[in-house]
Amino acid sequence: MRRKRKAPTAPLPQRRGVDPVHLRLPAEGPWPTVRAYLAERLPTVDPARIDALLSGREIVGVDGPIGPEEPFRPAGHLWLYRDLPAEVPVPFELEVLYRDDHLVVVDKPHFLATTPRGRHVVETALSRLRHGLDLPALSPAHRLDRLTAGLAMFVVRPEDRGAYQTLFRDRLVRKEYQAVAPHDPALALPRTVRSHIVKERGVIAARELDAPPNSESRIDLVEHRDGLGRYRLRPLSGRTHQLRLHMSGLGVPILGDPVYPVVLPEPAPDDFRRPLQLLASVVEFTDPLTGRPHRFETRRTLAAWVDPQSWAAADAPVPAPRPARDPDRGSDEDTDRDSDRDRDHGPGLGPAI
C-alpha cells in the first residue's frame, strides 16, 4: 500500500496558539501564477486582500516568502495566516490540573470551545494552552462540548496522540458528569437509557430514532431539593449531545440547555449568565505510556445547585419536568449492571458530548 506523504513542516510559527493555513497546490492546472490560483481557489476573499498579502510577502512557500509574480508550481506548498474572526473573550480561567511529558489535563470553563471551529478560534482551550504553555504541538485526546465545563485531556507529542485516543475508543476511560435538572418524583432512578441517536451536519439538534440503540447512559439522582435534582451521569458511549438528549427524553432537561427540548434563540456572544448545568467531573484511566493509574476530579461547581437564588434571578425560568418518553423505547431501569469503561472519540476526533 502506498504511504501518504507527510506535509512539510510549516515555516511560519503559530500565532496565539493558532496554526497558519496550509495550502497544497494542485499537481497540474492552467494558472500562470500563484496569485491567479489563489483568486480562483479563494473566491470569498477579496482579490485586493490577496494582492496585499503577496505584496507584503505574507504568503510563504517552502523556499520562503513569495511575491505577486510568483509562478504557479504544481504540487507546491503555501502557508499564510488566516484573518481571525472577532471574538468576545470568554471571561473564565482555564485551570491546568496535571502536566507531564505526555499529557495535560485541564478544568475547562463553560462557553470555552475545546478546539478551533467556526467563529471560535483563539478563544479555545487548545489555542490558550498552546500559547500559554509554549506547547505548539499540543492536540486534544477527545473533545468536550463548548457549553459543557469540566475535565478535558490534551496530548503533548503528536506521536503519543493515538495511544490516548485509543483509550476512549476502546472504552478504557471511566468518566462521570454532574448535572442539575428538574426533579421528578415519579421518575424511577437509577436507570440506564439506551437509544439510537443521529446528528445531521448543519442541524444543531441531534434526534432519536426508533432503531437499534447506538448510545447508552447511566443516570442516577444524587440528591434533590426545592424542585431541582443533582444527577450523576455516566456516558457509556460517545454520541453527540448524548447526555443532554437522554435527560431531556426522560422529561428532566438539563438547566441552561439552549437546544433540548426546544432550540432557543442564540444568546448574544457576551451573554455568559446561563451556562449549561453539565460538568465533566471525573476522569479515571491507566496511562497507556507509563502504566500509571490516573484519577482526576473537577474543582468546578454548578451554579444552579450551589447558588440557586442567583441562578433563578438570571432572567430565565426553571423548566418544569416534562412527561418522560415511554421507558420501553430505549431506556430501562438497571440497578445491577454497570461498566467501568466509557467510549469517547477515537482517532480523528468524533462528536462531543
Side-chain angles (χ1 to χ4, degrees):
M1 179 169 46
R2 187 177 180 181
R3 298 184 64 181
K4 186 177 179 180
R5 289 186 177 181
K6 186 178 180 181
T9 302
L12 295 175
Q14 293 175 351
R15 280 184 175 175
R16 298 176 66 186
V18 179
D19 288 321
V21 174
H22 174 220
L23 296 178
R24 175 74 182 273
L25 301 181
E28 58 183 23
W31 307 280
T33 63
V34 169
R35 193 268 181 206
Y37 167 74
L38 291 176
E40 183 175 319
R41 170 70 172 78
L42 307 174
T44 61
V45 178
D46 188 341
R49 177 60 178 152
I50 295 174
D51 291 337
L53 291 171
L54 289 168
S55 297
R57 304 183 73 79
E58 295 181 58
I59 299 178
V60 177
V62 173
D63 298 323
I66 66 174
E69 304 303 322
E70 181 76 16
F72 174 83
R73 301 182 188 281
H77 296 266
L78 300 176
W79 291 266
L80 67 152
Y81 291 114
R82 74 183 77 181
D83 291 329
L84 298 176
E87 298 181 63
V88 175
V90 177
F92 309 113
E93 291 298 319
L94 176 66
E95 184 179 4
V96 176
L97 299 181
Y98 177 83
R99 177 182 177 182
D100 63 19
D101 292 338
H102 309 285
L103 188 66
V104 174
V105 180
V106 302
D107 214 354
K108 187 185 80 66
H110 293 287
F111 301 108
L112 187 69
T114 302
T115 58
R117 188 175 184 182
R119 68 174 184 269
H120 306 286
V121 179
V122 172
E123 284 299 312
T124 62
L126 182 62
S127 297
R128 283 192 186 185
L129 291 169
R130 283 176 167 179
H131 181 67
L133 300 180
D134 193 23
L135 293 175
L138 194 71
S139 61
H142 66 120
R143 193 169 63 222
L144 192 63
D145 190 83
R146 183 179 70 89
L147 298 183
T148 303
L151 303 174
M153 293 167 47
F154 294 82
V155 183
V156 174
R157 306 190 307 171
E159 59 266 33
D160 295 338
R161 186 181 184 191
Y164 289 102
Q165 288 187 328
T166 299
L167 288 178
F168 290 96
R169 185 197 66 193
D170 293 344
R171 303 187 183 189
L172 298 175
V173 179
R174 181 181 181 275
K175 296 204 305 185
E176 290 184 6
Y177 287 70
Q178 295 179 30
V180 178
H183 173 240
D184 181 0
L187 180 63
L189 295 173
R191 73 167 57 203
T192 297
V193 180
R194 301 181 181 93
S195 69
H196 188 97
I197 295 176
V198 295
K199 176 69 168 63
E200 300 172 4
R201 181 179 292 273
V203 179
I204 189 170
R207 55 195 178 94
E208 294 173 294
L209 299 182
D210 187 6
N214 62 3
S215 67
E216 183 175 358
S217 303
R218 174 77 170 187
I219 298 176
D220 293 275
L221 177 65
V222 178
E223 56 184 326
H224 67 90
R225 66 177 184 231
D226 301 326
L228 293 179
R230 184 168 69 88
Y231 297 84
R232 180 187 299 114
L233 312 178
R234 291 274 314 280
L236 304 179
S237 56
R239 297 291 170 178
T240 297
H241 295 179
Q242 174 180 316
L243 297 176
R244 298 162 63 180
L245 195 55
H246 282 171
M247 288 289 285
S248 180
L250 291 176
V252 285
I254 298 172
L255 266 61
D257 196 328
V259 176
Y260 306 101
V262 178
V263 178
L264 301 176
E266 187 172 3
D270 59 350
D271 186 351
F272 303 107
R273 293 173 299 168
R274 305 285 296 190
L276 175 70
Q277 295 299 279
L278 181 61
L279 177 65
S281 55
V282 176
V283 173
E284 191 171 12
F285 61 96
T286 298
D287 194 296
L289 300 180
T290 67
R292 177 181 177 183
H294 286 300
R295 178 183 171 88
F296 301 104
E297 297 186 23
T298 184
R299 297 175 184 173
R300 299 185 182 276
T301 57
L302 292 171
W305 190 255
V306 299
D307 191 2
Q309 289 79 19
S310 295
W311 174 269
D315 300 331
V318 174
R322 299 186 304 110
R325 64 183 175 196
D326 183 349
D328 293 331
R329 291 193 58 194
S331 71
D332 65 295
E333 293 186 30
D334 184 353
T335 58
D336 298 323
R337 288 179 296 171
D338 209 340
S339 171
D340 289 330
R341 298 181 301 175
D342 162 37
R343 185 177 185 179
D344 205 318
H345 323 303
L349 283 187
I353 291 175

